[in-house]
């Protein structure tokens, strides 16, 4: 299926596309210089929103789970990128231990199967270990296509993480560690653990990522001679908020009103007629209360009711309070078969290896699409390759548009590298 881009053929998004295509050599040089100084995350997926008047990342995932959504034509790129990443980290590597999440959803298991295939074709022996202590022997897990994966119990010996008769030099996590870091993963001896433990949601905060992204967006926009707001979603950190207390609710409402006011001013500056909105999200990973769309400050009360229900159902922790932040809402003007869609750009090391669309017919253009009802459509092109086409009219070429998405996604990936450096407990600058 060829992406259906309904964004108008005139306006800021096409001016941005034109400017990015014209600046391609300078942009690629800029990225090369960044990677000379900083280490990219091992793999990354970025949710991008195309509003027609701005293009911005709204989430950056450091444990991506959508590799099965890439087309087979994208697989060689992924294999080459995996080769480059492994050679840089452990050139003599022959064994890779992949630790997936505990999910048994068919889609997630197909993602694991695709990762196994990618790294096998990159020249590695790949086996799967699980953090689930109830697994005490090799256990086959059936896949929808009739094949199976084998999950094995982890063994810790002399400070190394092993499987039976399998000693890897590299361990790849596809588990976001939202519940904290298990002891079995800590203080490993002469083994590379990717991504690092401080990339997990027990440590990571989305606000740190978007603060790093904002600084990079300013530098990048200055190079291109444009307003950084066109590629940056404004955020406000709310901190830990007790939504069941009047003081907590008032504080969050004040934050929402202030951010909405900032967005309204930018809309007025650009003559945008749409109604602005902001999103309230969890700062520390999974959105336990769901993502709330706020069009008026009073809408925040909905989140307080969700918190009350969650506590009444025994789903909340003993101490009230959630780490929250607010993000400028970026509507999506893209559709797949009339359903609202957003592109997800997937990367290994510093390379874009493909993308797909998250589609949700049950959601509106100003709502979070990563919710029940979501499905995924592999991103395919009428043209034979993903390379941008010189001279094509802005908005008329899917590869050109995807190149632009890739640029924004790589900006988010650079921001993730800054974020991981700043939060590295072993770095001298850590505080």
């Amino acid at each position: 299926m060829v992406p259906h881009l309904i964004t108008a053929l005139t306006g800021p998004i096409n001016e941005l596309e034109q400017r990015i295509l014209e600046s391609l050599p300078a942009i690629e040089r800029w990225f090369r210089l960044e990677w000379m100084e900083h280490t990219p995350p091992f793999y990354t997926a970025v949710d991008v929103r195309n509003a027609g008047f701005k293009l911005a990342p709204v989430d950056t995932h450091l444990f991506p789970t959508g590799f099965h959504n890439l087309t087979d034509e994208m697989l060689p790129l992924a294999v080459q990128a995996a080769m480059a990443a492994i050679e840089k980290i452990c050139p003599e590597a022959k064994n890779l231990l992949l630790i997936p999440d505990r999910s048994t959803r068919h889609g997630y298991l197909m993602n694991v199967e695709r990762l196994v295939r990618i790294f096998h074709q990159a020249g590695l022996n790949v086996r799967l270990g699980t953090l689930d202590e109830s697994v005490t022997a090799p256990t086959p897990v059936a896949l929808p296509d009739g094949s199976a994966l084998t999950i094995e119990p982890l063994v810790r010996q002399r400070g190394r993480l092993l499987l039976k008769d399998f000693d890897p030099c590299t361990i790849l996590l596809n588990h976001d560690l939202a519940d904290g870091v298990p002891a079995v993963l800590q203080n490993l001896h002469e083994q590379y653990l990717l991504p690092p433990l401080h990339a997990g949601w027990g440590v990571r905060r989305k606000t740190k990522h978007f603060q790093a992204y904002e600084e990079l967006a300013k530098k990048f926009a200055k190079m291109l001679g444009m307003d950084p707001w066109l590629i940056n979603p404004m955020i406000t950190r709310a901190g830990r908020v007790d939504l069941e207390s009047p003081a907590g609710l008032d504080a969050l409402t004040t934050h929402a009103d202030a951010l909405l006011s900032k967005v309204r001013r930018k809309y007025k500056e650009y003559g945008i007629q749409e109604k602005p909105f902001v999103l309230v999200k969890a700062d520390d990973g999974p959105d336990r209360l769901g993502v709330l769309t706020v069009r008026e400050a009073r809408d925040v009360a909905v989140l307080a009711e969700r918190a009350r229900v969650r506590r009444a159902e025994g789903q909340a922790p003993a101490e009230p309070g959630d780490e929250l932040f607010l993000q400028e809402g970026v509507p999506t003007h893209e559709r797949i078969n009339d359903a609202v869609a957003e592109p997800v750009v997937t990367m290994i090391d510093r390379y874009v290896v493909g993308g797909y669309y998250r589609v949700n017919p049950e959601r509106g253009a100003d709502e979070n699409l990563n919710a029940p009802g979501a499905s995924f459509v592999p991103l395919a092109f009428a043209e034979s390759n993903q390379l941008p086409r010189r001279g094509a009219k802005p908005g008329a070429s899917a590869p050109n548009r995807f190149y632009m998405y890739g640029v924004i996604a790589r900006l988010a990936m650079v921001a993730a590298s800054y974020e991981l450096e700043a939060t590295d407990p072993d770095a001298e600058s850590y505080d």
Side-chain angles (χ1 to χ4, degrees):
M1 180 181 293
V2 178
H4 178 42
L5 308 176
I6 67 168
T7 307
L9 293 181
T10 59
I13 203 69
N14 290 293
E15 293 173 15
L16 175 60
E17 180 179 319
Q18 187 68 34
R19 191 164 300 184
I20 284 177
L21 291 171
E22 291 173 349
S23 305
L24 191 151
I27 289 171
E28 295 305 324
R29 178 179 182 273
W30 188 87
F31 279 119
R32 282 198 305 273
L33 294 176
E34 286 294 326
W35 297 132
M36 288 176 66
E37 300 292 333
H38 306 281
T39 301
F42 187 80
Y43 52 8
T44 318
V46 178
D47 301 347
V48 177
R49 284 284 188 120
N50 178 358
F53 54 84
K54 75 180 293 178
L55 178 73
V58 294
D59 267 312
T60 299
H61 311 275
L62 299 183
F63 300 88
T65 59
F67 283 93
H68 61 300
N69 295 320
L70 304 181
T71 63
D72 288 342
E73 290 79 10
M74 295 174 180
L75 192 58
L77 284 174
V79 171
Q80 290 175 341
M83 286 179 176
I86 291 295
E87 287 171 5
K88 186 166 58 178
I89 294 162
C90 185
E92 70 278 10
K94 64 177 182 178
N95 294 335
L96 176 74
L97 171 58
L98 174 58
I99 300 180
D101 201 341
R102 299 178 187 181
S103 173
T104 57
R105 289 180 294 107
H106 282 169
Y108 178 71
L109 293 175
M110 292 306 295
N111 162 72
V112 175
E113 188 277 336
R114 176 59 65 92
L115 283 171
V116 171
R117 196 192 326 174
I118 288 170
F119 288 100
H120 174 76
Q121 292 182 343
L124 295 169
N125 301 312
V126 185
R127 285 167 62 176
L128 303 176
T130 178
L131 294 172
D132 186 349
E133 295 179 355
S134 68
V135 177
T136 57
T139 303
V141 180
L143 297 178
D145 62 1
S147 62
L149 295 171
T150 299
I151 307 292
E152 302 180 61
L154 297 170
V155 179
R156 180 79 183 238
Q157 288 183 357
R158 298 183 299 279
R160 293 177 69 83
L161 195 58
L162 319 170
L163 301 179
K164 184 179 179 181
D165 302 321
F166 190 77
D167 187 351
C169 89
T170 304
I171 300 162
L172 179 61
L173 289 174
N174 198 239
H175 187 302
D176 65 12
L177 306 177
D179 296 325
V181 179
V184 73
L185 296 179
Q186 299 177 24
N187 303 312
L188 295 177
H189 177 64
E190 294 184 349
Q191 285 179 305
Y192 296 95
L193 183 63
L194 304 166
L197 293 179
H198 64 282
W201 285 124
V203 176
R204 191 179 180 221
R205 295 296 177 269
K206 294 176 184 175
T207 46
K208 285 192 175 292
H209 172 75
F210 282 105
Q211 287 164 356
Y213 180 83
E214 180 179 12
E215 292 306 310
L216 280 165
K218 289 177 181 176
K219 295 178 183 177
F220 187 81
K222 184 177 181 180
M223 178 178 70
L224 267 62
M226 68 182 197
D227 182 353
W229 177 75
L230 295 174
I231 58 172
N232 177 53
M234 295 185 287
I235 67 162
T236 297
R237 182 178 181 273
R240 190 168 294 280
V241 179
D242 180 2
L243 290 167
E244 297 179 58
S245 75
L249 190 58
D250 287 347
L252 191 60
T253 301
T254 300
H255 284 309
D257 191 45
L259 186 55
L260 278 168
S261 295
K262 289 182 180 178
V263 179
R264 288 189 189 105
R265 285 195 292 270
K266 295 302 292 188
Y267 278 28
K268 184 177 180 181
E269 178 184 342
Y270 281 91
I272 297 164
Q273 301 301 315
E274 298 190 28
K275 187 177 179 64
F277 65 100
V278 300
L279 300 174
V280 182
K281 299 182 175 183
D283 197 5
D284 56 346
D287 290 289
R288 293 172 290 276
L289 295 174
V291 176
L292 178 68
T293 299
V294 176
R295 301 170 186 85
E296 302 288 346
R298 62 176 179 269
D299 294 343
V300 170
V302 173
L303 208 62
E305 176 60 19
R306 290 182 188 174
R308 187 195 66 75
V309 171
R310 185 175 62 134
R311 185 166 300 283
E313 295 176 347
Q315 299 175 2
E319 293 297 324
D322 293 271
E323 287 192 63
L324 302 173
F325 80 108
L326 297 92
Q327 183 181 66
E328 173 193 353
V330 182
T332 177
H333 281 198
E334 300 204 15
R335 302 288 186 274
I336 298 289
N337 293 338
D338 296 325
V340 176
E342 65 185 8
V344 181
V345 180
T346 304
M347 293 161 283
I348 296 178
D349 196 63
R350 60 194 180 102
Y351 305 102
V352 173
V353 299
Y356 54 92
Y357 277 92
R358 178 182 289 112
V359 185
N360 197 326
E362 300 177 16
R363 294 292 174 120
D366 61 352
E367 294 182 294
N368 173 47
L369 303 189
N370 192 12
S375 60
F376 303 93
V377 175
L379 196 156
F381 298 109
E383 294 90 347
S384 61
N385 59 59
Q386 297 178 42
L387 297 176
R389 296 172 56 196
R390 295 184 65 181
K393 183 178 180 181
S397 167
N400 283 6
R401 183 58 54 86
F402 187 66
Y403 175 75
M404 182 172 67
Y405 293 163
V407 167
I408 298 303
R410 283 186 288 165
L411 270 178
M413 180 169 55
V414 177
S417 72
Y418 279 46
E419 170 199 356
L420 291 176
E421 289 169 9
T423 56
D424 184 351
D426 297 323
E428 293 181 4
S429 60
Y430 182 77
D431 55 27

